């Protein structure tokens, strides 16, 4: 234990082994078991490879039967169930629940028995998550449901006037946030539907794609619920997504020198869309967004925006006939590095990311220079560099001054 070169895990397991022996001499079987569980948890948590963790699990499985006659055995079964639950095997949750129920059935009123029951109920708990495309076409698999232990899901969708919303919203997000979505429950939905979800006998999340039965283009908020009444409780979460259904797609390309090229395409065919009106709007979190510049795409679906150096962020809205779409990614027109001359930078390399006490740190520094606009960089020799090593409180521990070769 006094050797600084001994690995910390070896030191900790030696201490826990001594503690197990002490409890065994005292005849304290539950204390001996708890020391064993601490040892296995230490090994399991500090090794990430499946084979290494399996050694710890097999070790616990081999020794647990010796403690079957004490109530703390149920806590051992809870620990074992937790280890098995984290395995990547397809049947790991099935096996984990079986282990947990054995612990609960043997000592249901003990702390370990109650922990086992909690693990079992957690595995059986229904759960789902919703995600979607930001923009998509009509009659496409726009929504993805990841679910387990759930047989049915209900949906309500609400059509929102996108232009009116953008002119009045004051939130950081351009589209409806979670709280705003739930206020829509007070009005009649534009579309409703429900889907049957396939069973999940392995208790793991499965994926089901959903095609919204929406026939009209536009911006929609889609809310989902495991209960038909959409009453949100601890047992029933309401989850919502924003989707814009239509055919327009916006692509942007930064040209440098405070200019961007915008292309509007058909999402269905990939062809350029001419005659589409594109608005460049400035983000304004205090009182809605106002049009900054309006352009119409040419025969190639192209337009160009030139903006004086600005610290504001912008976004794009494209419209044509009954079609409208929004690019929520920020468009910036800051002065960039491309306007500057050659710049010198440094990259620092170490032989590893984590070190034990007394280990030597091997390092090197690469100095290079060039211009981002040209994309040409080269290493630079003769550069004097001071490298400092600091601790967690940013206090300098050591330093070295070198010159690149």
């Amino acid at each position: 234990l006094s050797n600084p070169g001994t690995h910390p895990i070896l030191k900790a397991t030696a201490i826990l082994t001594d503690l197990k022996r002490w409890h065994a001499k005292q005849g304290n079987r539950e204390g001996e078991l708890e020391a064993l569980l601490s040892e296995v948890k230490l090994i399991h948590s500090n090794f990430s490879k499946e084979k290494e963790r399996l050694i710890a699990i097999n070790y616990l499985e081999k020794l647990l039967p010796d403690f079957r006659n004490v109530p703390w055995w149920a806590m051992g079964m809870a620990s074992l169930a937790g280890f098995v639950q984290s395995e990547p095997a397809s049947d790991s949750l099935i096996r984990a629940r079986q282990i947990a129920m054995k612990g609960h059935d043997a000592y249901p009123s003990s702390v370990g028995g109650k922990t086992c029951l909690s693990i079992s109920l957690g595995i059986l708990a229904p759960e789902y998550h919703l995600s979607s495309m930001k923009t998509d076409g009509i009659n496409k698999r726009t929504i993805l449901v990841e679910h387990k232990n759930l047989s049915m899901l209900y949906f309500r969708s609400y059509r929102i006037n996108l232009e009116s919303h953008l002119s009045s919203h004051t939130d950081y997000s351009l589209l409806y946030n979670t709280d705003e979505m739930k206020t829509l429950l007070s009005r009649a939905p534009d579309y409703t539907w429900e889907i049957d979800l396939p069973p999940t006998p392995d208790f793991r999340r499965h994926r089901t794609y959903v095609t919204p039965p929406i026939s009209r283009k536009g911006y929609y908020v889609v809310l989902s619920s495991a209960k038909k009444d959409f009453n949100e409780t601890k047992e029933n979460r309401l989850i919502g997504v924003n989707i814009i259904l239509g055919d327009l797609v916006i692509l942007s390309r930064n040209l440098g020198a405070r200019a961007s090229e915008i292309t509007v395409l058909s999402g269905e065919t990939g062809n350029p869309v001419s005659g589409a009106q594109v608005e460049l709007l400035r983000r304004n979190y205090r009182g809605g967004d106002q049009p900054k510049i309006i352009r119409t795409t040419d025969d190639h679906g192209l337009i160009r925006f030139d903006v004086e150096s600005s610290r504001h962020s912008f976004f794009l809205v494209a419209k044509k006939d009954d079609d409208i779409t929004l690019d929520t990614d920020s468009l910036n027109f800051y002065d960039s590095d491309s306007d500057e001359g050659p710049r010198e930078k440094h990259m620092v390399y170490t032989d590893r990311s984590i070190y034990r006490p007394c280990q030597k740190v091997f390092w090197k520094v690469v100095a290079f220079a060039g211009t981002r606009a040209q994309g040409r960089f080269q290493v630079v020799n003769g550069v004097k560099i001071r490298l400092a090593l600091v601790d967690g409180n940013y206090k300098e521990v050591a330093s070295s001054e070198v010159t690149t070769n």
Side-chain angles (χ1 to χ4, degrees):
L1 294 177
S2 60
N3 186 351
T6 303
H7 197 285
I9 294 180
L10 291 178
K11 292 183 178 182
T13 53
I15 294 172
L16 291 169
T17 299
D18 183 64
L19 182 61
K20 282 189 298 181
R21 291 170 180 167
W22 184 83
H23 280 299
K25 289 181 181 180
Q26 299 295 319
N28 184 0
R29 296 289 287 160
E30 293 193 326
E32 183 183 356
L33 175 56
E34 178 57 27
L36 169 64
L37 295 179
S38 298
E39 179 186 14
V40 176
K41 288 176 183 177
L42 175 70
I43 296 172
H44 189 273
S45 63
N46 281 280
F47 291 93
S48 57
K49 293 183 179 179
E50 185 180 353
K51 290 183 179 180
E52 295 168 341
R53 288 187 163 188
L54 193 59
I55 293 174
I57 293 173
N58 291 338
Y59 176 57
L60 180 59
E61 283 183 316
K62 181 180 178 180
L63 296 180
L64 265 180
D66 295 340
F67 300 89
R68 178 64 178 78
N69 61 341
V70 296
W72 203 247
W73 174 81
M75 184 58 77
M77 295 295 281
S79 298
L80 179 60
F83 295 148
V84 173
Q85 189 175 3
S86 65
E87 290 180 4
S90 59
D91 65 340
S92 61
L93 295 181
I94 297 174
R95 292 186 289 114
R97 182 174 179 271
Q98 292 171 345
I99 294 170
M101 288 311 298
K102 287 180 181 179
H104 172 261
D105 294 342
Y107 299 98
S109 59
S110 69
V111 174
K114 293 177 181 178
T115 303
C116 284
L117 179 61
S118 177
I119 292 173
S120 176
L121 293 176
I123 294 174
L124 291 175
E127 179 185 334
Y128 80 96
H129 178 73
L130 213 64
S131 58
S132 71
M133 300 284 288
K134 290 182 180 179
T135 60
D136 207 355
I138 298 288
N139 296 323
K140 303 294 183 182
R141 300 194 311 172
T142 305
I143 299 173
L144 170 63
V145 181
E146 297 178 87
H147 59 93
K148 69 168 190 172
N149 306 326
L150 197 62
S151 60
M152 184 167 285
L153 203 58
Y154 300 88
F155 294 88
R156 294 180 184 179
S157 69
Y158 302 84
R159 194 172 191 274
I160 309 297
N161 187 309
L162 181 58
E163 292 181 278
S164 297
H165 171 70
L166 292 176
S167 66
S168 60
H169 87 101
T170 57
D171 188 69
Y172 176 82
S173 174
L174 293 174
L175 301 178
Y176 270 55
N177 59 37
T178 302
D179 292 335
E180 290 173 323
M181 289 179 176
K182 293 175 183 179
T183 63
L184 296 172
L185 291 170
S186 60
R187 73 176 234 197
D190 293 278
Y191 296 90
T192 63
W193 70 95
E194 60 191 54
I195 61 168
D196 293 315
L197 296 172
T200 55
D202 56 0
F203 307 123
R204 291 189 175 277
R205 277 189 179 185
H206 288 240
R207 291 185 167 192
T208 298
Y209 289 91
V210 179
T211 301
I214 298 175
S215 58
R216 187 181 176 190
K217 296 176 181 178
Y219 164 41
Y220 291 87
V221 171
V222 178
L223 284 169
S224 60
S225 169
K227 303 293 183 181
K228 192 172 184 178
D229 59 7
F230 279 76
N231 183 26
E232 187 169 33
T233 62
K234 291 182 179 180
E235 293 75 29
N236 184 43
R237 292 175 58 216
L238 299 185
I239 303 178
V241 292
N242 294 291
I243 58 175
I244 297 176
L245 299 180
D247 190 46
L248 299 180
V249 176
I250 301 174
L251 299 180
S252 61
R253 184 167 69 96
N254 193 321
L255 301 177
R258 300 178 292 279
S260 289
E261 181 183 75
I262 311 301
T263 308
V264 180
L265 303 173
S266 164
E268 186 68 30
T269 66
N271 295 328
V273 177
S274 61
Q277 187 182 80
V278 181
E279 295 181 354
L280 179 70
L281 296 100
R282 191 182 75 186
R283 288 180 181 266
N284 180 8
Y285 310 121
R286 297 182 179 179
D289 298 286
Q290 300 299 324
K292 180 71 174 180
I293 305 175
I294 301 176
R295 296 279 189 273
T296 301
T297 56
D298 60 18
D299 292 340
H300 303 286
L302 293 171
I303 54 170
R304 172 176 170 141
F305 287 110
D306 294 275
V307 177
E308 295 182 2
S309 181
S310 173
R311 298 192 179 190
H312 298 286
S313 294
F314 297 82
F315 64 95
L316 298 164
V317 175
K319 300 180 291 183
K320 185 174 183 181
D321 301 328
D322 63 340
D323 217 340
I324 186 169
T325 193
L326 165 72
D327 185 356
T328 57
D329 293 336
S330 293
L331 198 63
N332 298 306
F333 295 89
Y334 304 134
D335 288 324
S336 65
D337 292 343
S338 60
D339 299 327
E340 301 177 1
R343 300 181 63 188
E344 181 184 301
K345 294 187 177 182
H346 310 126
M347 289 189 292
V348 180
Y349 296 90
T350 58
D351 61 322
R352 59 177 62 194
S353 57
I354 299 176
Y355 295 86
R356 294 196 299 270
C358 301
Q359 278 191 313
K360 185 178 290 187
V361 179
F362 292 92
W363 56 270
K364 69 177 179 180
V365 177
V366 177
F368 64 99
T371 58
R372 183 178 297 180
Q374 295 177 351
R376 296 176 182 174
F377 298 93
Q378 60 183 8
V379 294
V380 182
N381 57 15
V383 178
K384 293 183 178 181
I385 296 173
R386 182 179 185 274
L387 188 73
L389 179 68
V390 297
D391 62 14
N393 296 317
Y394 294 95
K395 292 183 178 180
E396 188 172 305
V397 177
S399 65
S400 180
E401 293 185 2
V402 295
T403 301
T404 58
N405 55 23

